[in-house]
């Protein structure tokens, strides 16, 4: 089943779309103009190893969310202007291809930003921006996917936002699994999830920071390059 059919089935028929969750995921915001989803996970891999894997979507992006049904057809040029694309095998009329997204920003081991409306959103007047952040931790790396979607579409935001949220979450989980698996949630994350599942008021859950805006998230994960000290002779 390809990306378009999977999403269509999920939000048009109301059928549940089961995907294993990443450490943390949610629809951050939504309105008639669009929506934002965010997913985070931690892995026992260095930022360098994460970056190497990130550049090989054929090893972690799900074949269920492809147009060809085969993840081996994915490729990614990680330089600005590069393509996250997919080859469509020759079925008698020649080899085809699909651009899932193009690279907007590439900072090795730290940040990759892509512009693309994935799956069925590609046929709408939509813009989608996926920002993938990597941050070193004492146990490996923290990963964050932010996908911001806006524009005009023939779908209802309330229907498609949760479906897209699950699909983006599956890709982060695929990346984590390709790196050895996501690390268990922290004690704070477990407590917050348990409180939410039990329907307890937010006040009873451990205090959590407000979801940062994208600029704040980037500033937190990508430090400015230190500037060289001026030569005293000048």
């Amino acid at each position: 089943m390809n990306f378009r059919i999977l999403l269509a089935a999920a939000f048009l028929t109301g059928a549940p779309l089961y995907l294993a969750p990443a450490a943390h995921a949610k629809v951050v915001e939504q309105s008639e103009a669009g929506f934002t989803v965010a997913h985070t996970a931690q892995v026992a891999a260095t930022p360098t190893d994460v970056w190497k894997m990130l550049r090989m979507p054929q090893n972690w992006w799900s074949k269920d969310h492809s147009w060809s049904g085969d993840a081996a057809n994915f490729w990614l040029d990680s330089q600005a202007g590069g393509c996250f694309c997919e080859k469509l095998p020759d079925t008698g009329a020649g080899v085809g291809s699909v651009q899932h997204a193009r690279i907007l920003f590439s900072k090795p081991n730290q940040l990759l930003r892509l512009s693309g409306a994935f799956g069925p959103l590609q046929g709408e007047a939509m813009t989608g921006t996926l920002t993938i952040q990597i941050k070193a931790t004492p146990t490996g790396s923290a990963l964050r996917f932010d996908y911001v979607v806006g524009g005009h579409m023939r779908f209802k935001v309330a229907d498609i936002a949760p479906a897209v949220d699950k699909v983006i979450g599956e890709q982060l989980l695929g990346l984590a699994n390709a790196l050895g698996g996501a690390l268990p949630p922290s004690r704070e994350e477990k407590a917050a999830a348990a409180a939410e599942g039990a329907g307890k008021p937010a006040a009873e859950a451990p205090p959590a920071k407000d979801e940062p805006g994208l600029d704040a998230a980037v500033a937190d994960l990508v430090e400015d390059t230190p500037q060289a000290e001026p030569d005293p002779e000048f």
Side-chain angles (χ1 to χ4, degrees), residues 113-228:
R113 177 174 294 131
L114 310 90
S115 175
F118 297 118
L121 298 178
Q122 187 183 80
E124 308 301 308
M126 303 295 293
T127 298
T129 302
L130 175 62
T131 298
I132 300 173
Q133 301 170 71
I134 308 166
K135 182 178 181 180
T137 68
T139 57
S141 300
L143 312 177
R144 174 168 173 143
F145 281 24
D146 286 90
Y147 190 44
V148 184
V149 179
H152 176 73
M153 63 180 172
R154 292 164 290 182
F155 307 134
K156 292 181 179 180
V157 172
D159 290 333
I160 200 169
V164 171
D165 177 54
K166 292 176 182 177
V167 169
I168 295 299
E170 183 182 4
Q171 308 323 307
L172 175 55
L173 186 63
L175 177 59
N177 287 340
L179 291 163
L183 297 176
S186 66
R187 182 181 304 174
E188 292 76 13
E189 289 172 329
K190 288 181 179 179
E196 182 177 353
K200 294 181 180 179
E204 296 184 25
K209 296 181 180 179
D210 292 337
E211 190 70 30
L214 191 55
D215 289 342
V218 173
D220 179 56
L221 292 180
V222 182
E223 297 180 357
D224 292 334
T225 302
Q227 300 296 318

Side-chain angles (χ1 to χ4, degrees), residues 96-119:
S97 60
V98 179
Q99 176 180 278
H100 290 275
R102 61 187 175 86
I103 309 304
L104 298 178
F105 190 107
S106 177
K107 189 166 187 178
N109 306 341
Q110 296 186 44
L111 186 145
L112 185 68
R113 177 174 294 131
L114 310 90
S115 175
F118 297 118

